[in-house]
Amino acid sequence: MTPRRLIAAADRRLRGRVGARSRGAIERGFTLIELLVCLAILGFLASLALPMAEMTVQREKERELKRALWEIRDALDAYRAAREAGAVLGPGDRPPYPATLQDLTQEVVDARADRQGQTMRFLRRVPRDPFAEPGLPAEQTWGLRGYQSDADNPQPGPEVYDVYSKSTAVGLNGVPLKQW
């Protein structure tokens, strides 16, 4: 081969390598348009997921509300049963329910003869309404219904017959939380 041909062949090989390198670098990267399309897709998916996350938080708060209502109502029923059994003493002319929710957390001496010296407690602590303002004490987060009060228009009385949420929100089932 002549020197001219050797130089031309080497030149072609060299150009081929440089071109291959530069073409490979371009093929490995992303264009601005590809990145914008990816961001748009991610934004759309995030906008779909946000309402589902809010609904999950609402559903969990509703579960907490149901548990708290069951816990308080069970304690009220246990207090009434203890009063009727003579374990908790109180005025005979009043309904057998506690005067406040805090009474359910106080230790009470069992008044029955066969259990002298034993104590009982109906709640460890008053659970809070998850829909209430965070700064309020747990006892103040609940609406109280007295024994003589109507279920459709609950009013407080000298005793706590039932509790309800003070929240004006409506549950996912369409029922206002006050009616739970």
Side-chain angles (χ1 to χ4, degrees):
M1 233 190 209
T2 63
R4 261 188 186 181
R5 285 190 175 166
L6 284 175
I7 292 174
D11 190 40
R12 272 183 285 184
R13 274 188 246 133
L14 185 58
R15 283 187 198 161
R17 287 185 196 157
V18 171
R21 283 186 192 148
S22 62
R23 277 193 307 266
I26 291 173
E27 290 174 8
R28 284 190 298 247
F30 292 105
T31 65
L32 181 61
I33 293 175
E34 289 172 331
L35 288 174
L36 290 175
V37 168
C38 287
L39 286 175
I41 291 171
L42 286 174
F44 176 72
L45 292 175
S47 70
L48 291 177
L50 187 61
M52 295 299 283
E54 290 173 355
M55 188 184 314
T56 302
V57 168
Q58 172 81 8
R59 188 175 297 130
E60 185 57 35
K61 283 176 114 177
E62 288 182 11
R63 278 191 197 121
E64 286 179 40
L65 177 63
K66 283 182 187 178
R67 276 190 292 246
L69 287 170
W70 284 335
E71 187 176 349
I72 293 172
R73 288 173 177 162
D74 284 346
L76 288 169
D77 290 341
Y79 186 92
R80 186 198 75 232
R83 276 280 308 271
E84 290 173 349
V88 177
L89 299 178
D93 61 338
R94 283 194 37 214
Y97 294 98
T100 65
L101 287 178
Q102 197 63 34
D103 290 349
L104 297 171
T105 64
Q106 304 301 319
E107 200 167 309
V108 179
V109 177
D110 195 333
R112 293 178 283 195
D114 60 336
R115 296 193 178 161
Q116 288 294 327
Q118 293 182 359
T119 60
M120 58 184 143
R121 186 183 310 241
F122 301 97
L123 282 177
R124 289 185 181 178
R125 62 175 177 76
V126 176
R128 48 179 307 105
D129 182 350
F131 290 94
E133 294 178 29
L136 290 174
E139 300 83 36
Q140 294 178 9
T141 61
W142 299 103
L144 306 178
R145 176 180 167 214
Y147 184 71
Q148 300 296 327
S149 176
D150 186 28
D152 295 330
N153 185 21
Q155 299 295 320
E159 71 288 314
V160 180
Y161 175 68
D162 196 12
V163 293
Y164 61 91
S165 177
K166 291 181 181 179
S167 175
T168 58
V170 176
L172 293 174
N173 61 359
V175 178
L177 298 177
K178 283 186 174 187
Q179 295 177 7
W180 283 27

